[in-house]
Amino acid sequence: MPSPPARIYLSPPHMSGREREYIAEAFEQNWIAPVGPHITRFEQAFAREVGVEHAAAVGSGTAAIHLALRYLNLQPGDEVLCSTFTFCASANPIVYEKCSPVFIDSDRQTWNMDPQLVAEELDEAQRRGRLPKAIVAVDILGQSADILALRKIADRYAVPVLEDAAEALGATYEGRPVGASSWASAFSFNGNKIITTSGGGMLCSNDQKLIEHTRFLATQAKDPGPIYLHSQIGFNYRLSNVLAALGIGQLEALPDRVAARRRVAEYYERELCRLPGITFMPEAPFGKSNRWLSVICVDPKQFGASCEDIRLALEAENIESRRAWLPLHKQPVFAGCRIRGGTVAESIFDCSLCLPSGSALQDSDLERIVACVAKCAR
Ligand SMILES: Cc1ncc(COP(=O)(O)O)c(C=O)c1O
């Protein structure tokens, strides 16, 4: 029996080769700990890349979001606005802090938080006399939210904007790197991201106090002094020095990774736009997406098959694809949370499918994927 074709994954890790050198250095220096020189180097290089003054390396993107929210001294029951079209990790830290997410629908141009809906929500919240304490604005699938529009509205009410840039490292907004234009931005180095440390995250900001406090809370909130003294509850959230060494090597390859993912997206657009009923995630005019994942939207009436049919056909050929996020206001765990709008995110979910988007995809892989999608057409 012929062996099945090799599996094509959605977004696998892509090593540059340099990572081993830096990891070997960490081993030679015996910094096998959540402290060490590679953490500082990774933080400094990352802050330069994002165009901010400070960065704190932590164990995950979720931890970065959590510690930024923690800094805001939220009280149980406070409200925090959050994009609905995103992964659960954007909103979970709001609940860790015993606060209530209020979900905001996407706009059609970016698939990110709609600034108009945020304006309506803040206006009503002020009239109710209870403003939200923060906004978690997500840069979904590698595309920046309209951060300056969001900030302009939020600034009127002095509500800080935390950018969840977990998926968007290397993208730009108004000519600046994503993550540079908000109060703070959180990045993820999970295994499926554009660069990876297997697991890890970074909080970036020009607010030095926020970043210093993040490092303090991420290492169990030890008060200065010779004894273990704690006047706050901390977390064990710091990134390992070994993983930071991996991150240094990955970060050096970032421009190549963005270029490769953009090439993948261009290939799909060129090859699949001929098929009836297939459209693509739009790219907003104010920035350049890193195209972390390439997403097609399928009109089943025109195409002759649904996005779920295509997913199953790809799976039968050992190709991984993924439906886009089920909006958070539709998740059982967030039942009861308020939602403003919601139909845009729901309609994106209904029609969209994320295709394999890794930066190491070969032309032959792309041809295999496109041929399989094309076979599903009427
Ligand atoms: C939008 C978004 N936010 C947050 C996260 C959380 O990052 P991590 O997995 O590093 O905790 C992820 C990815 O996992 C994500 O896609």
Side-chain angles (χ1 to χ4, degrees):
M1 228 171 71
S3 51
R7 183 152 180 81
I8 299 178
Y9 290 97
L10 186 73
S11 181
H14 184 180
M15 294 298 112
S16 69
R18 298 291 305 274
E19 296 84 358
R20 282 172 191 266
E21 269 175 54
Y22 297 119
I23 292 172
E25 219 175 70
F27 270 67
E28 280 154 23
Q29 298 168 355
N30 205 29
W31 283 110
I32 315 296
V35 59
H38 294 88
I39 297 179
T40 309
R41 248 162 86 186
F42 187 36
E43 287 178 341
Q44 288 172 348
F46 200 88
R48 270 198 304 279
E49 184 68 46
V50 171
V52 293
E53 285 169 32
H54 310 284
V58 289
S60 67
T62 312
I65 297 169
H66 189 193
L67 292 182
L69 291 178
R70 187 85 178 178
Y71 182 75
L72 295 174
N73 199 18
L74 308 176
Q75 298 303 309
D78 281 346
E79 289 189 339
V80 175
L81 310 191
C82 182
S83 309
T84 191
F85 184 61
T86 184
F87 183 51
C88 65
S90 306
N92 283 349
I94 300 169
V95 181
Y96 301 163
E97 291 300 301
K98 300 187 170 54
C99 296
S100 303
V102 174
F103 293 116
I104 306 289
D105 203 358
S106 306
D107 65 40
R108 290 214 171 267
Q109 191 193 22
T110 65
W111 293 10
N112 283 313
M113 186 178 260
D114 184 337
Q116 182 57 38
L117 295 181
V118 173
E120 288 169 19
E121 179 62 33
L122 291 180
D123 182 47
E124 276 184 30
Q126 186 166 55
R127 278 193 268 126
R128 279 197 304 271
R130 194 157 169 263
L131 281 167
K133 291 294 164 61
I135 299 175
V136 179
V138 183
D139 303 319
I140 204 68
L141 297 161
Q143 167 146 272
S144 181
D146 195 351
I147 286 292
L148 288 183
L150 289 169
R151 268 196 50 193
K152 200 165 151 201
I153 297 157
D155 285 354
R156 271 189 239 141
Y157 302 87
V159 179
V161 175
L162 167 60
E163 191 171 355
D164 177 352
E167 301 171 0
L169 177 63
T172 64
Y173 174 76
E174 300 285 6
R176 298 181 72 198
V178 151
S181 306
S182 41
W183 162 64
S185 49
F187 293 85
S188 166
F189 314 125
N190 190 281
N192 64 1
K193 295 300 185 290
I194 193 156
I195 67 166
T196 184
T197 58
S198 74
M202 193 75 81
L203 187 69
C204 292
S205 180
N206 291 325
D207 181 343
Q208 187 172 356
K209 275 203 188 124
L210 162 66
I211 298 302
E212 281 169 2
H213 196 67
T214 296
R215 292 196 190 106
F216 169 73
L217 285 185
T219 47
Q220 302 287 26
K222 296 180 200 113
D223 289 343
I227 58 165
Y228 282 106
L229 191 67
H230 304 275
S231 40
Q232 289 180 54
I233 293 292
F235 301 87
N236 186 1
Y237 274 178
R238 195 69 159 139
L239 186 69
S240 150
N241 188 66
V242 180
L243 298 183
L246 174 45
I248 295 168
Q250 284 275 286
L251 192 60
E252 287 176 1
L254 180 64
D256 292 345
R257 301 297 178 259
V258 174
R261 290 202 186 235
R262 287 187 63 84
R263 260 198 314 276
V264 167
E266 280 157 21
Y267 180 88
Y268 286 137
E269 292 210 19
R270 200 171 57 241
E271 296 301 319
L272 294 175
C273 72
R274 321 185 177 121
L275 300 174
I278 298 279
T279 52
F280 296 86
M281 178 182 183
E283 185 164 18
F286 52 61
K288 194 165 124 183
S289 168
N290 70 3
R291 296 288 189 175
W292 172 57
L293 293 183
S294 287
V295 189
I296 53 169
C297 309
V298 184
D299 176 344
K301 284 202 193 92
Q302 283 187 55
F303 185 72
S306 68
C307 55
E308 181 59 10
D309 297 330
I310 300 174
R311 189 188 71 77
L312 292 170
L314 288 165
E315 193 52 50
E317 299 206 14
N318 213 11
I319 299 168
E320 184 184 21
S321 63
R322 265 290 161 80
R323 299 283 301 278
W325 317 119
L326 175 67
L328 295 187
H329 70 274
K330 290 293 201 182
Q331 297 285 357
V333 75
F334 293 119
C337 293
R338 236 160 18 86
I339 169 74
R340 183 165 288 269
T343 53
V344 175
E346 287 167 34
S347 69
I348 294 169
F349 166 73
D350 285 342
C351 75
S352 56
L353 184 70
C354 307
L355 296 177
S357 304
S359 43
L361 280 170
Q362 302 294 308
D363 288 353
S364 55
D365 298 326
L366 291 169
E367 283 160 17
R368 218 176 109 198
I369 296 159
V370 162
C372 183
V373 174
K375 255 196 330 205
C376 300
R378 194 193 308 281

